[in-house]
Each structure stands twice: as structure tokens, then as C-alpha cells.
Amino acid sequence: MQLTAHILSHMLSRRYNIMPDITDANPSLCGFRFYDGSPARPGHIYIISPDELAFLPPDYQADAYLCNGTSLSPEDLTLPGQPAVLSLSEPTDLKELCNVLNAIFEKIECWEGMITHLAPDIFEIKKALNSSRDLLHGTIILADNRFHYIAYTDDFHGSASLLHPNDDVPQYVMEDILTDPAYQSVQSSREVVLYQVHTARKIAPALCYNLFKDGSDVYNARIMLTARGDFTPDQYDLLKILGDSISGALWQIAPFSLPSPAFSSLHHAVASCLKNEPSSRALVRSILHSVNWNTEDRYVLILFSPYFIREKDEINAVSVNQLELLIPNSCGVVIDQQVALIVNLGSPDKASAHFRFQENIAAFLRDSLYKAGISSEFDDFFRIRCALYEAETALRIGNIRDNMYWYYRFSDYAMTYLLDNASEKVYYRDLVNQSYLDLLTYDRNHSSSLANTLEHYIKNKFNVTHTAAELYLNRSTVLAHLKKIEEITSLNLDDWRVHLHLLISFALLENE
């Protein structure tokens, strides 16, 4: 039986004034009886008057007593077996007290039956949460390790305003919250703790109980209880019992979550750094350290852009949850109706290979109707804004040049970006090698193809044989062209700067 003397005392205190227990005993109770002198039954609490309690036979040993009114002090009693003793400060009608106790035991028995043999199914877990709703007097949420909600009671949406974050939280408030040791301790606590959920307008209290898989120190999920009023002691006890029951079932089902990510220090750190240069790099380092990340780890940023404009971000919020579950060691945020996902690839000295994006994400892109831009890998977290720009650039150029692809790497379009930006404010032909332009003019006036020969000659690494084969010319013809080019221009092909300028000139003219 999950009903202990302490929980019963707390539940009775909702209605009656309960005196402090005079012993440390906390037996489990399955029912109650009236004291009549007959042998005591284990697991029962006996309703007894103060006079009867004062003159109990020396050999009478019950697990617990409920004294209906008391004028006794602890030193007045010497009870055998150290039972739990709950005392009402004022006598109450026995019929009323009997009805109250019946209701408590029936409610606990029904609730216990629901949670004791909980099936590993998310819908069964939600039923258990709803079954616990009246008993715990609040909204109950099961959330994963990043506050993504997995299951919740039916009244959740009515209380959602207590939990939903707001991007308008001032920066100085965010820093105060994230550096608060109480916030960090809640992540690893093994007790039911009062955790303050911060929004822009209020601080919403929630009871939280962490769930650890297989007894591991790795934090996996938490069960949360929110209420409009103050929390009572029995809510702490019952939430722990509920969390222990759900924990065993939770790790047997496939992990998934529903929308509405709540407050998370890592998510806010990423979102903040994507928008502005962080005002406190020490704060960001502290947040990364709390999830075993370092600013010098290798990272890659992926920007997911939906095919269709979405008026609300709920679908993107679901996608963030799915992506974080699909890709380990990642953190996603919704920004400008797109999803930005930063992936920690590990420390630079580890032998992990390049990020295998195609293996992990290709199916997700097709099913969710996203396209993605991928930044270059970087080893400084504070370059995250540059990485976002790279991902945006890859998406923009890739959608123009390779519209049929699902994702685009910045490294594949770096040269295109370089050329586009080089000629953004300057006419592109003004960047082309002037001697090469003169050669093009000579070709137009004399119906020759010297410029084409020069281009193939340089691209073939100055190999005359390969150039002749590519142009379907005799080797001697190519040599004659090269000699003519030397006469017309002043190009020094032994100078690497001239070589590089010519290659860029070819690319610029290809893009005209």
C-alpha cells in the first residue's frame, strides 16, 4: 500500500488541524479501524480517544493511531512498538471522520491500482497522470530532459500559460536565472524539489521529480506538478510515488515528445547567441559545461527551412523535438519560422568522422517537407552566428543552382559565394584579368580561339598533351597557340598570383 502515515497526515491536514507526530514511525497503511481492545491488525490505523490512548495495555501493538482530539503531550505517552501517532487538535464527529478516511483510502487504492502495473505505453501513462490529477490537485506533466512535454493531464492547455517561455525576457534576467545554483541543482536532484519556471511576466512554481534511467547519474526526464495555489506536503510525497511508478514504464517505450518546449538554459543560450553577441561569454561557458559541452568542441549548424510559410511555430517546435531525438548531442531552436539545429560533434582530438548528415536526416527532410543548409564545421561555439549565415547562404544559393536537392553544404558553394560577393559592388568584368580580356578581344577580331586554349591549358595544369586531347588539336597546334599568346599578352604563367587570378577570371565569366 502506498498510503503511509505521513501522507495520510498531510491529506487529513487539508481538512483538520493535525498535531505534529510524536514519533518518527511511518508505516504503510491499508485501512482504518476503531479501537475496541481486540487484537491489532497490521497495516491499519486505529481511531482512538485520548483517554484510551493514555491507558493502552502494555502489550497492545498497532502500527498507527489516530487520536480524535488530544490533551496529551509526547512525554505523557509510553507506547509499545513505537507506532505512528496522528492527533486531531479538536475532537470531531466520528461519522464524519469515518467518511473522510473512507474517501482517502478508496482514492488511494484506486490510484495505486492504476499506477502499480503501468503498461509501457504513452497513452497508459497519460491515463495514470489523469488518474492522479484530483489526488495531487494540479496539472501533471511528464517532460524529457529538455523540458519537451511527453505526456500531460487533460487540463494542461488551461495551465500552459504558466509554463510557456517568452522571448521577451530581458537579458539581465536570463543571466540571473541561468547562473543561479538552484537552477543547476534541480537538474540532478533525486528528491521532489520546488522549481521556478520563469516567463517574461511571472515566476510559476512547479514541483519536479527527476527520473533517472537504470539508476544512472545521467538525467533523462522529469515529472512536474503545477498548481494555482501553494503546494502541500502530501503533494511532494505522492509525486515521488507517481514518478517512481512511471519511471519503470517510460524507459520501455520509444522516446517521443509533443510540442511546446519550455525553459532550458542550453536552448536560451543558443537562441541568444544566434541573435546577438553574448554579453557574458563566461555565462555561456557555464551553461555549456552543465551539459558536458565545451566552447572548443567541434560543431556544425543546420538550418531547416519549411517548403511552405507557416503562420505559427507549433510544427517547427515538434520538429525541434524530433531532430534532437534523432541526432544525439544536439540543440534546436525556432528562429524566423525556421529551425536552427546546432550539433556537437565532440572534442577535436577524438577520431569521430565528419557529420554523416545524409544518413540521419534525409528521410526526415522528405517526410517533414524541409530543405536544409549546412554550415562548415567549426571549433569555437562563439562562431555560431557565422555558422548560421553560412547555412542561410548555402540554402539560398543551393535553391537557385540545385533546386532538386534536399540539403546544401556551404563548402559546396563557397566559391560561388566568394564570386557573388566579390562582384556585388564592382562590375564583374573589372575583376577579370585584363590580359585575358585583351585575348578575348583578339579572338573576336581574328576569329581565333587562343583564350579557350589558354583556359584549358591552365586547367590541365600546363600539360600540353592533355590540353591537345581535350581540344581535339595536334600538340604542335597547341604549342603554336601558346607562343602566339605570349606575343599578344604579357602574362607570366610562372607567377602563382597570375595563375590564381586567371582561374578566378574563368569562374567569373562562367557566371555572367
Side-chain angles (χ1 to χ4, degrees), residues 73 144 149 187 262 350 385 413 426 467:
S73 60
D144 70 10
Y149 307 143
Q187 309 294 328
K350 291 184 179 178
R385 292 178 66 199
Y413 301 98
V426 177
T467 303

Side-chain angles (χ1 to χ4, degrees), residues 275-304:
K275 293 177 182 177
N276 302 289
E277 178 68 22
S279 58
S280 172
R281 292 199 170 200
L283 170 64
V284 174
R285 290 190 182 94
S286 174
I287 294 171
L288 294 180
H289 182 72
S290 70
V291 293
N292 296 319
W293 286 17
N294 292 303
T295 53
E296 297 80 16
D297 288 344
R298 288 190 305 117
Y299 295 94
V300 66
L301 187 136
I302 313 154
L303 185 66
F304 296 84

Side-chain angles (χ1 to χ4, degrees), residues 384-412:
I384 189 172
R385 292 178 66 199
C386 293
L388 177 63
Y389 181 73
E390 289 183 7
E392 291 172 339
T393 301
L395 262 173
R396 175 177 55 82
I397 298 175
N399 270 320
I400 296 173
R401 288 179 164 266
D402 303 296
N403 187 49
M404 298 303 293
Y405 292 176
W406 288 96
Y407 60 87
Y408 313 99
R409 297 178 183 274
F410 178 76
S411 56
D412 295 333

Side-chain angles (χ1 to χ4, degrees), residues 2-4 7 111 115 209 236-246:
Q2 303 282 12
L3 182 57
T4 66
I7 295 177
W111 178 67
I115 69 172
Y209 180 56
Y236 284 76
D237 296 328
L238 293 172
L239 184 66
K240 183 179 186 303
I241 293 170
L242 178 63
D244 288 340
S245 176
I246 288 178

